[in-house]
Amino acid sequence: MTRGSKKSVAKPKAGDKSRRSGSPGTKAVKGRKKAARNTKARSKAPARRRTSRHWGLRLASWSLVLAIWAGVILTGVIAWYAYDLPDVNSIEQMTRRPSIRLVSADGVQLASYGDFYGEPITLKDLPPHLPQAILAIEDRRFYNHFGLDVLGIARAMVTNIRKGRFVQGGSTLTQQLAKNLFLSPDRTLKRKIQEALLALRLEQRFTKDQIFALYMNRVFLGTGSYGFDAAARQYFGKPASKVSLYEAALLAGLLKAPSRYNPARSTERADTRTALVLGAMVDAGFISEAEAKQSLKAKARGRPRAGRQARYFADWIMRQIEGYVGAVDDDLTIITTLNAHTQKVAERELTVLLDEEGKANSVEQGAVIVLAPDGAVRAMVGGRNYVSSQFNRSTQALRQPGSAFKPFVFLAGLEHGLTPDSRMIDGPLRIKGWAPRNYGGRYYGDVTLREAMARSMNSVAVQVSEKSGRENVAEVARRLGISSKIDTSASIALGTSEVTLLDLTGAYAAFANGGSGVWPFGVEEIRGRGGKLLFRRDGAGTGRVIAKERLLMMNDMLSSVVSWGTGKAAQIDRRAAGKTGTSQDFRDAWFVGYTGELVTGVWFGNDNGAPMNKVTGGSLPAQLWKRVMSSALEGVAPQVLPGTGPTSAPVGAIAAVDSAEESASDAAQDQGGGFIGRILRNLGVSDSEKKRERPKWEPFKNDRDR
């Protein structure tokens, strides 16, 4: 290259970093690029801010729109559910089912029906621990919220979410009152919304104390009881104004689940729940821990009312109520004639005897009626087990009474001139092809009517019926109280017409009370709410149905049945009279008997009419009669039975009868001349003398006078 010539500049290669980095031109380019990038970034920042503000505005706008629509929808839902919302102003006019309480003559509650409400209460009527117990376990913020407890609802939601199931509710006392008064218990959206709306209305309409009192008077607390006063009377036999701390806690504990925690169902669960309520009262500051411990230790509570008893009797009474007071539109308390002790005795003894003897004797059912001589029902057992069968065999079952019908036959005979000493021949008999037979096929020859009654001789009963007239026999039975249809064929004398145990026992009452007919009854008086008297029994019966002289004769003959006849198994520690009865093929067995204090009828049989295993009126029925009467009359002074003496042997009885020789079922075989022959031989009377005419019957002479 020559001097002065221009140098050639070589372009750096792309991969030559050293040259490129060290080049002033390169740095300038990079600077310009960086500046461009910075300028571009600065220009994008306002754009991003503008975009963020745009989306925020859009979100707020949509949120507002959604809120408006939600409000519109919520308003529509509320308006829809509020359309048929009950009027809280009608709360004073609200009605309920009337309650009916049946009480025994000795003051025991037998049964209750309908809604049982106690006396209306206010907070000032109550000991402080009762409302405190309710607030502690149900709604501690009651006096601080407006009907809806927002904090309580939130707390319940958190608890339920944590547990994964519904374990706690957020309803206030006001909401519970709204639900109890106006709404169904269904857990639906409609019910919850209406409950909240009604709670708000109640809070506007009433004061807090008024709402609390309404709640305490109307809430359900189990066993048909509504309100704390009703529950206190039901469970403790006292008004709510007198409950102890423990009782108050127990009642408050029922609010969660009345059927589960009530002491009538489970004392253990009730006590457990009560302890929880007492703990809540301590937490709320209403009582001290020492008071709670002392209350738990004492567990002091009153005696609960008895549960439903005498259920056959209660059903029988309930069917009669409208006949006494018309349509039932108010609370009623019915004072009945039942004696709680006698009822328990009758129920117990029937069950025990059937358990002991029923299977072996092929008998499944029985019934018992106990009456006072004036017809007042003291006990009624309509079957072995009410739960298994509500059919009342003492009032509804029509069965053949057999020989238990014979007193009407013999009374008709007395009214047509016969006496207990009138004589007839007990032997085979035929009436238009029909031939009645005695039990066991035995006949006794020449006998008195007294002997025929005591030994239940069929052929003599038929002769008496034919002599006095079948229509007259039927008339006597109707006059004494048999209301069912009576067949007047020749078999009327043997009790082939069906009767109820109640009718038959009521008819026998005339023999015990001096000859007056009765209508069995179970109601003494009926009172309305507040004790208003609506009905009181004044007199009873149909007046005299048996003349005095004939009554004495009947008691003479019927007491012979118990002293030495077919009813010997019924003998008790006082004068008694009665009659056994057994229908064909042992389908029915009866004993109806009486003392000066009570008249009792007993029946055994099977609902399907199947024969028993030779059960007669002198066996199981007479045994049960003895058990019931002995217990029912324990400690009761004996009363004289008209026409009989003070001892166990009846006036006119044959003195030397060896009662051990003859079984109650009349099943012993006749040996050596028959029953009367044995008696005469025991008395030293020869065969030539035994047909000597007996003197006319005189009711007040003893055996030596005859």
Side-chain angles (χ1 to χ4, degrees):
M1 181 178 294
T2 61
R3 185 186 297 265
S5 63
K6 296 181 178 179
K7 293 181 180 179
S8 60
V9 180
K11 295 181 178 180
K13 294 181 180 179
D16 193 345
K17 293 182 179 179
S18 60
R19 292 188 178 188
R20 192 167 61 247
S21 62
S23 171
T26 303
K27 290 180 178 179
V29 171
K30 290 177 66 177
R32 287 193 297 271
K33 289 182 178 180
K34 183 176 180 180
R37 285 196 299 272
N38 290 338
T39 301
K40 187 175 181 180
R42 284 194 297 271
S43 65
K44 285 183 177 180
R48 283 198 297 270
R49 285 195 293 272
R50 287 193 299 271
T51 303
S52 298
R53 284 196 298 270
H54 173 72
W55 280 107
L57 290 171
R58 292 185 66 183
L59 181 61
S61 175
W62 279 108
S63 297
L64 179 61
V65 170
L66 289 175
I68 292 172
W69 276 107
V72 170
I73 293 172
L74 181 60
T75 302
V77 170
I78 292 175
W80 174 261
Y81 289 138
Y83 176 75
D84 60 347
L85 207 62
D87 181 9
V88 298
N89 292 318
S90 65
I91 194 169
E92 291 89 352
Q93 286 77 44
M94 292 187 67
T95 59
R96 58 179 174 79
R97 289 191 306 158
S99 68
I100 301 177
R101 296 173 57 235
L102 271 62
V103 181
S104 72
D106 46 349
V108 177
Q109 179 169 310
L110 303 174
S112 62
Y113 299 86
D115 301 338
F116 176 42
Y117 286 77
E119 295 299 320
I121 55 176
T122 60
L123 295 183
K124 66 180 181 181
D125 300 326
L126 303 173
H129 46 254
L130 180 53
Q132 287 171 353
I134 299 168
L135 293 174
I137 198 66
E138 290 294 319
D139 190 359
R140 296 185 193 181
R141 290 171 42 81
F142 173 71
Y143 284 98
N144 298 320
H145 59 63
F146 55 90
L148 303 178
D149 186 359
V150 178
L151 292 178
I153 293 172
R155 184 172 55 251
M157 289 179 62
V158 171
T159 302
N160 293 337
I161 291 172
R162 185 183 299 119
K163 296 290 185 180
R165 56 191 175 88
F166 184 87
V167 295
Q168 191 176 102
S171 294
T172 65
L173 291 185
T174 314
Q175 287 176 271
Q176 293 181 43
L177 176 63
K179 179 182 68 174
N180 291 333
L181 289 181
F182 302 108
L183 304 173
S184 72
D186 301 333
R187 290 187 176 184
T188 62
L189 177 63
K190 177 180 179 180
R191 198 268 288 171
K192 293 300 291 183
I193 292 174
Q194 289 189 326
E195 179 185 295
L197 294 174
L198 285 169
L200 296 176
R201 290 191 182 183
L202 286 170
E203 291 279 347
Q204 292 175 345
R205 172 69 174 78
F206 301 100
T207 67
K208 284 288 188 179
D209 284 354
Q210 288 174 329
I211 291 172
F212 202 174
L214 284 169
Y215 176 81
M216 295 185 70
N217 280 298
R218 299 304 292 264
V219 68
F220 177 66
L221 291 169
T223 63
S225 301
Y226 287 81
F228 278 81
D229 190 67
R233 295 174 189 274
Q234 186 75 13
Y235 297 124
F236 312 129
K238 64 175 70 172
S241 60
K242 296 181 187 268
V243 296
S244 66
L245 172 58
Y246 191 86
E247 291 167 342
L250 190 152
L251 293 176
L254 295 175
L255 293 167
K256 181 177 176 65
S259 61
R260 176 175 175 80
Y261 294 116
N262 80 69
R265 172 164 291 189
S266 172
T267 302
E268 183 179 351
R269 283 198 295 263
D271 289 340
T272 301
R273 179 68 178 168
T274 302
L276 181 65
V277 175
L278 289 169
M281 294 179 72
V282 173
D283 292 341
F286 293 135
I287 61 173
S288 67
E289 188 171 347
E291 288 176 307
K293 288 182 178 178
Q294 178 60 33
S295 180
L296 281 171
K297 183 179 179 180
K299 288 187 179 180
R301 59 171 179 243
R303 182 179 179 182
R305 292 180 182 271
R308 189 169 290 185
Q309 303 180 54
R311 301 183 72 174
Y312 290 108
F313 175 78
D315 288 353
W316 180 65
I317 292 296
M318 288 299 294
R319 287 192 288 268
Q320 305 173 34
I321 298 305
E322 290 192 0
Y324 288 111
V325 297
V328 178
D329 54 7
D330 193 8
D331 295 346
L332 299 177
T333 298
I334 302 170
I335 310 301
T336 71
T337 61
L338 201 81
N339 180 279
H341 170 68
T342 304
Q343 177 69 28
K344 288 181 180 179
V345 166
E347 290 177 352
R348 180 187 69 233
E349 296 299 342
L350 174 62
T351 301
V352 169
L353 191 58
L354 282 173
D355 288 345
E356 292 173 349
E357 305 287 349
K359 187 174 181 180
N361 289 279
S362 301
V363 54
E364 296 179 353
Q365 283 294 348
V368 181
I369 288 286
V370 182
L371 304 178
D374 65 353
V377 177
R378 300 302 189 206
M380 176 183 288
V381 187
R384 185 174 193 167
N385 187 304
Y386 179 88
V387 175
S388 300
S389 171
Q390 291 78 55
F391 180 70
N392 191 336
R393 293 155 190 84
S394 63
T395 63
Q396 295 174 290
L398 286 165
R399 309 291 294 232
Q400 291 185 351
S403 294
F405 192 83
K406 286 178 181 175
F408 312 129
V409 177
F410 281 64
L411 179 55
L414 298 181
E415 292 178 346
H416 284 77
L418 299 175
T419 73
D421 289 321
S422 295
R423 308 187 73 83
M424 290 188 177
I425 301 299
D426 177 40
L429 183 68
R430 183 173 295 274
I431 300 176
K432 296 182 178 179
W434 176 63
R437 299 175 65 251
N438 285 346
Y439 179 79
R442 292 181 300 154
Y443 298 98
Y444 297 92
D446 183 22
V447 296
T448 64
L449 293 194
R450 180 185 302 105
E451 295 160 353
M453 175 76 85
R455 304 304 302 165
S456 199
M457 301 175 188
N458 288 340
S459 69
V460 174
V462 173
Q463 294 176 62
V464 172
S465 173
E466 295 298 305
K467 181 178 180 63
S468 58
R470 302 170 196 167
E471 289 293 342
N472 292 323
V473 172
E475 188 277 328
V476 168
R478 294 190 191 99
R479 190 201 320 156
L480 268 63
I482 301 300
S483 60
S484 53
K485 183 179 179 180
I486 299 175
D487 179 15
T488 56
S489 64
S491 64
I492 186 176
L494 306 187
T496 55
S497 296
E498 295 178 330
V499 299
T500 66
L501 178 61
L502 181 63
D503 273 4
L504 188 61
T505 308
Y508 274 62
F511 301 128
N513 66 23
S516 297
V518 305
W519 291 308
F521 63 94
V523 176
E524 287 287 0
E525 66 179 40
I526 301 176
R527 293 187 176 271
R529 192 168 183 83
K532 180 182 178 182
L533 182 64
L534 303 178
F535 167 83
R536 175 176 288 159
R537 181 167 295 278
D538 183 17
T542 59
R544 179 165 291 279
V545 293
I546 307 175
K548 182 176 180 180
E549 182 181 1
R550 291 164 190 142
L551 170 68
L552 301 179
M553 295 178 182
M554 288 301 302
N555 283 339
D556 169 20
M557 291 191 289
L558 290 172
S559 60
S560 298
V561 174
V562 176
S563 293
W564 52 273
T566 58
K568 287 181 299 184
Q571 291 175 359
I572 55 177
D573 64 349
R574 66 194 67 204
R575 176 76 65 183
K579 187 68 186 77
T580 57
T582 310
S583 69
Q584 191 173 18
D585 297 327
F586 305 98
R587 299 180 189 276
D588 304 276
W590 310 69
F591 186 83
V592 185
Y594 53 95
T595 65
E597 303 81 27
L598 293 174
V599 185
T600 296
V602 175
W603 167 86
F604 280 99
N606 295 307
D607 287 339
N608 61 3
M612 295 175 286
N613 185 16
K614 295 186 178 180
V615 175
T616 66
S619 58
L620 297 185
Q623 294 170 31
L624 180 58
W625 189 92
K626 177 177 181 177
R627 294 186 184 188
V628 171
M629 291 289 279
S630 296
S631 295
L633 294 174
E634 187 175 0
V636 178
Q639 296 185 23
V640 176
L641 194 62
T644 64
T647 64
S648 59
V651 173
I654 297 177
V657 173
D658 182 4
S659 60
E661 285 187 68
E662 295 291 335
S663 71
S665 63
D666 192 23
Q669 293 297 317
D670 183 19
Q671 299 291 333
F675 173 69
I676 300 301
R678 292 199 305 278
I679 293 174
L680 293 175
R681 284 195 299 276
N682 289 333
L683 292 173
V685 179
S686 66
D687 289 344
S688 61
E689 295 176 304
K690 70 180 179 181
K691 290 188 180 181
R692 184 179 61 191
E693 180 152 347
R694 301 285 297 272
K696 185 176 180 180
W697 185 83
E698 299 179 57
F700 294 104
K701 289 188 175 182
N702 60 31
D703 294 314
R704 289 191 299 272
D705 291 330
R706 268 195 283 236

